Amino acid sequence: MNAGQHTTRRLAARAGQSICRSCRESISRNNYATAAAVAVQSEDQVSHAIPPVAQASPSTAYAINAGVVLSRPPQITRDLHPFESAFFLYQKRLNERLALPFSRYFYFKKSTPADLEWKRKIKQRLTPARDIGRYKGYGEEAWNDEVLVGAKESDLQWQVERLLEDAATDGRATGEAEQKSAKNIERELFEKPMPRRTEADEKNDTKSLNRALQRTLYLLVKAKDGKWQFPEDRLNDENIHGAASRIITQCGGLNMNTWLVGHVPIGHHQYNYTKPTKLPSGLTEHGAKTFFLKARIMAGQANLKDNKLGLKDFKWLAKDELQKEVDESYWKSVKNMLAER
């Protein structure tokens, strides 16, 4: 006797009714068939619950465009996070503490020019490392040597200026008589590092590639309809890679040394026309789909003077700046293609 028969008998006993032999045999025979029928019925119900997929009409069409995400990669290292700056300053000061008992006679022979120059410089510096402030390792105030929040010693530009000042001096006191030598002239002509902020940063010149050197900049153009977007054009009996190469030349001119990174699109954007267009072939064009290829600029600059795409203006913008210029729907399509830095 199976579980179905036990269940039937228990239900009948509870209801005070008896089941005839023929009924019991029919229940026994139809036990598995009934379960299979229920399973089929549930599958049919699930299949009917799924809505049918809307298929596009054979007369519906979309234009295929090729777009170019032309970028200039970062030229310098990124700006340090405040925590990183504080940690590096802590490391420098810790190394200075470890170097305090410096045995100069191990490195410089006594009374040699190198030894005299070292003594002059340490007398002027008052510390082995001028760029991070003076460290008084001995005395009653030796314990009170932590850098306070907002102190000038923690500023990176202040540290650079102190290092340049130290490199330009030989340790002699101001006004001390000395005769110019080739060595002194060489000290005055040492190379100084370029600033991290350029003139284009100060003027916020968005057409310059010499701006935001620690960020990735993207070429954004103003199309005929006044919208800002990446350079794009319709395919003309060519593949997407060939179209992208053509678009770069027709958009920015020949004065750009560029490189198309690959042949596979990195993203796409679809938009519908406000009014469908009837094509000569009888199809109705409802919109366009733009597939973007990635490219890099190594040298040169964009020039829209003789462009053949009807572009009105251009800008080199970082990702957060680009978001403010393009439409919301366009931004949702392209944001994941762009680098944060």
Side-chain angles (χ1 to χ4, degrees):
M1 185 179 296
N2 55 28
Q5 293 175 350
H6 281 294
T7 303
T8 305
R9 287 192 173 184
R10 283 198 302 269
L11 293 175
R14 290 177 184 177
Q17 299 176 358
S18 62
I19 300 176
C20 63
R21 179 177 301 177
S22 60
C23 294
R24 288 199 299 267
E25 291 178 354
S26 63
I27 293 174
S28 174
R29 289 195 303 268
N30 298 333
N31 195 16
Y32 296 104
T34 304
V38 172
V40 172
Q41 183 179 2
S42 62
E43 290 178 359
D44 293 340
Q45 292 176 352
V46 172
S47 62
H48 287 303
I50 299 176
V53 179
Q55 296 182 356
S57 173
S59 61
T60 303
Y62 281 84
I64 303 299
N65 299 338
V68 181
V69 181
L70 183 61
S71 63
R72 186 223 65 189
Q75 306 297 299
I76 59 177
T77 56
R78 63 176 176 83
D79 295 332
L80 293 179
H81 188 274
F83 177 80
E84 293 175 317
S85 299
F87 180 74
F88 291 150
L89 178 63
Y90 170 76
Q91 283 188 319
K92 289 181 180 179
R93 293 177 68 84
L94 182 61
N95 291 335
E96 187 184 41
R97 286 164 169 78
L98 296 176
L100 185 63
F102 179 67
S103 302
R104 71 174 187 272
Y105 294 132
F106 180 81
Y107 298 94
F108 308 114
K109 190 175 181 179
K110 189 175 182 179
S111 300
T112 58
D115 180 44
L116 297 176
E117 183 177 1
W118 185 88
K119 287 194 291 186
R120 283 199 305 267
K121 296 204 74 169
I122 199 64
K123 183 179 179 181
Q124 186 183 63
R125 290 176 177 173
L126 301 176
T127 180
R130 171 180 282 188
D131 59 317
I132 57 176
R134 185 180 178 186
Y135 170 53
K136 301 178 182 179
Y138 302 106
E140 297 180 355
E141 295 293 326
W143 61 272
N144 187 17
D145 190 50
E146 296 299 326
V147 178
L148 301 179
V149 176
K152 59 183 180 181
E153 290 84 3
S154 61
D155 183 41
L156 179 62
Q157 186 60 33
W158 189 89
Q159 297 176 14
V160 173
E161 292 174 356
R162 298 290 77 75
L163 290 173
L164 294 176
E165 179 183 344
D166 187 68
T169 60
D170 61 352
R172 296 180 184 273
T174 305
E176 183 178 350
E178 61 174 329
Q179 188 175 3
K180 292 289 183 179
S181 62
K183 186 175 182 180
N184 293 329
I185 295 175
E186 183 181 354
R187 288 180 180 277
E188 296 177 357
L189 299 179
F190 72 97
E191 294 185 3
K192 297 181 180 180
M194 298 295 292
R196 294 180 64 87
R197 287 186 59 84
T198 63
E199 184 179 355
D201 285 315
E202 301 297 336
K203 296 181 178 180
N204 195 25
D205 184 6
T206 56
K207 287 185 171 58
S208 175
L209 282 167
N210 194 29
R211 184 183 71 90
L213 299 179
Q214 73 278 13
R215 302 290 304 277
T216 299
L217 298 182
Y218 297 93
L219 177 63
L220 205 66
V221 296
K222 193 174 185 180
K224 299 177 183 179
D225 55 2
K227 293 183 179 180
W228 289 95
Q229 60 186 21
F230 293 125
E232 66 177 51
D233 193 20
R234 191 161 183 158
L235 293 182
N236 297 322
D237 297 329
E238 56 192 345
N239 55 33
I240 295 181
H241 188 272
S245 179
R246 172 180 58 82
I247 291 170
I248 292 176
T249 304
Q250 293 181 350
C251 165
L254 299 174
N255 190 28
M256 286 199 303
N257 183 7
T258 59
W259 169 52
L260 280 168
V261 177
H263 291 73
V264 180
I266 60 175
H268 83 285
H269 171 64
Q270 176 180 330
Y271 60 94
N272 296 325
Y273 302 149
T274 55
K275 184 178 180 181
T277 303
K278 194 72 173 179
L279 300 178
S281 59
L283 299 177
T284 302
E285 192 173 278
H286 287 267
K289 297 181 180 181
T290 304
F291 295 88
F292 299 99
L293 263 67
K294 183 179 180 180
R296 293 285 199 187
I297 180 171
M298 276 79 73
Q301 175 60 288
N303 185 3
L304 304 184
K305 182 178 179 181
D306 298 323
N307 80 89
K308 301 179 181 179
L309 303 179
L311 305 178
K312 301 177 180 180
D313 199 2
F314 76 94
K315 292 181 180 179
W316 290 98
L317 301 177
K319 182 177 181 178
D320 51 349
E321 299 171 335
L322 188 144
Q323 182 182 3
K324 303 174 183 178
E325 299 291 342
V326 300
D327 295 337
E328 184 177 358
S329 60
Y330 193 83
W331 169 250
K332 290 181 179 179
S333 300
V334 304
K335 64 180 181 179
N336 292 330
M337 303 186 301
L338 311 180
E340 295 290 342
R341 180 179 167 236

